[in-house]
Amino acid sequence: MKLVFAGTPEVAVPALDALIASGRHEVAAVVTRPDAPAGRGRRLVASPVAQRAEEAGIEVLKPVKPRDEAFLARLREIAPDCCPVVAYGALLPRVALDIPAQGWVNLHFSLLPAWRGAAPVQHAVMAGDEITGASTFLIEEGLDSGPVYGTVTEEVRPTDTSGDLLTRLAFAGAGLLAATMDGIEDGTLKAVPQPGEGVTLAPKISVEDAHVDWAAPALRVDRVVRGCTPAPGAWTVFRGERLKLIQVALAPERTDLAPGALGVGKNNVYVGTGSCAVELLWVQAQGKKPMRAADWARGVRIGSGEEVGG
C-alpha cells in the first residue's frame, strides 16, 4: 500500500522505521507537528519524526492544523491507501479521515478500551496495572473508540517508570503496526468493535497531578513517582522550593515517620507516608542537576523535625 505516516515525538520513530524497513509498503510522506522551540536558545527544531523522515528522503508535511486546505489538497494528490498514526498530537477532522481508502490506523499504547486518551502509559503505571500493551485501531471521530485490528501485551515491571514502559511498547507496537498494514493489504485482518465495558480514560497528566500527597500509602507514592517519570516529573516542596522526585523505594521497615516527616541516616533519606516510609533515592532540587538523595541531604543539612510537603 501507499502510506502517509503521521507522528511527532521520539516514541513514534520505531514505528516509522519498521514501515520503512518492511519493504512491502511505500511510505510516500510523513505528517508531523510544526517545528517547535527547544533548548536554552529556544530555536525552532523539527520533530524527531520529521528528522527521521528527512534522513530517509521522505516528503514531510507540517500543517499548523490538519484541516488546512493546502495540507488536505496535498494529501489528496498523494492519494494514500492508508495513514498509520503514532502520537501525532492533533485531532483529525472528518474531511481528512475520509481521504485514504483504508482510513487512518492508530497505534495506541494500551489494551483498548482501557486507558483511552493522551497518557495511557502513565495512567497504567499509576493505577498499578500488572499487564498493559498496545493496540492498533481504525480512527473515528470519538476518543480512541474505533474498532481494533490487533494487540500486543506487555508486563508492567515493579520498578518501571512510564518512560521505561513506553520505550518497550514503542518497539513492540512498531511490529504490531507493520503487521496491521500487511493484514489490511491482504484482507486477512478485520477491525473488531471495542467492547462497551471496561472503558477507562487517560487524560494528560498535569503538573498538579504529579504533586505527591504524603498522606497517601507508600505504594501510591511510588506509583505516582514512577508514572510521572520522566514527565511531568513528580514533586514535593522543601523549604518553600520545589523538589523533584526521580526515584523512590518502599521502606516497609520504617513505620515511625509521620506523613511528610524526614528521617535522615548516614546514607539514606526517608519520608513518612500514610503507611510505611519511602526511601528517597534520586532527587533534583530547583535549579540543580539530579543527584542521589543522600548527597542532597548532606548539602542542605536537614534539621531535626523538618519535613516535605505543602
Side-chain angles (χ1 to χ4, degrees), residues 123 125-128 209 212-213 216-226 250 275:
H123 279 276
V125 173
M126 291 170 71
D209 292 330
V212 169
D213 175 11
L219 196 61
R220 174 64 183 168
V221 171
D222 173 61
R223 288 172 180 171
V224 169
V225 173
R226 291 188 293 111
L250 302 180
S275 57

Side-chain angles (χ1 to χ4, degrees), residues 178-259:
T180 299
M181 293 298 105
D182 294 349
I184 290 172
E185 185 208 18
D186 62 26
T188 59
L189 205 53
K190 301 297 180 188
V192 177
Q194 294 182 35
E197 298 175 354
V199 176
T200 49
L201 300 180
K204 183 179 179 180
I205 303 291
S206 70
V207 172
E208 196 50 46
D209 292 330
H211 187 181
V212 169
D213 175 11
W214 297 108
L219 196 61
R220 174 64 183 168
V221 171
D222 173 61
R223 288 172 180 171
V224 169
V225 173
R226 291 188 293 111
C228 292
T229 300
W235 60 280
T236 189
V237 175
F238 177 72
R239 294 179 185 168
E241 292 191 340
R242 190 170 292 188
L243 179 69
K244 188 175 180 180
L245 306 171
I246 298 171
Q247 187 181 17
V248 303
L250 302 180
E253 71 281 5
R254 292 294 303 264
T255 57
D256 58 317
L257 294 171

Side-chain angles (χ1 to χ4, degrees), residues 58-137:
I58 296 170
E59 179 182 355
V60 180
L61 307 174
K62 302 177 183 180
V64 174
K65 294 181 179 178
R67 63 173 64 253
D68 291 353
E69 277 305 322
F71 164 68
L72 293 172
R74 179 61 188 137
L75 195 61
R76 291 188 189 99
E77 286 175 6
I78 296 170
D81 297 300
C82 189
C83 294
V85 185
V86 186
Y88 169 47
L91 288 175
L92 297 160
R94 180 82 260 168
V95 65
L97 293 178
D98 288 341
I99 292 174
Q102 300 290 350
W104 297 66
V105 176
N106 192 44
L107 172 63
H108 184 75
F109 297 114
S110 81
L111 297 175
L112 290 169
W115 304 128
R116 293 176 180 173
V121 176
Q122 290 161 306
H123 279 276
V125 173
M126 291 170 71
D129 291 358
E130 295 181 354
I131 298 291
T132 187
S135 308
T136 49
F137 71 94

Side-chain angles (χ1 to χ4, degrees), residues 129-155:
D129 291 358
E130 295 181 354
I131 298 291
T132 187
S135 308
T136 49
F137 71 94
L138 183 65
I139 293 180
E140 298 178 336
E141 288 183 279
L143 177 65
D144 300 334
S145 59
V148 172
Y149 282 106
T151 60
V152 290
T153 58
E154 181 71 33
E155 179 186 0

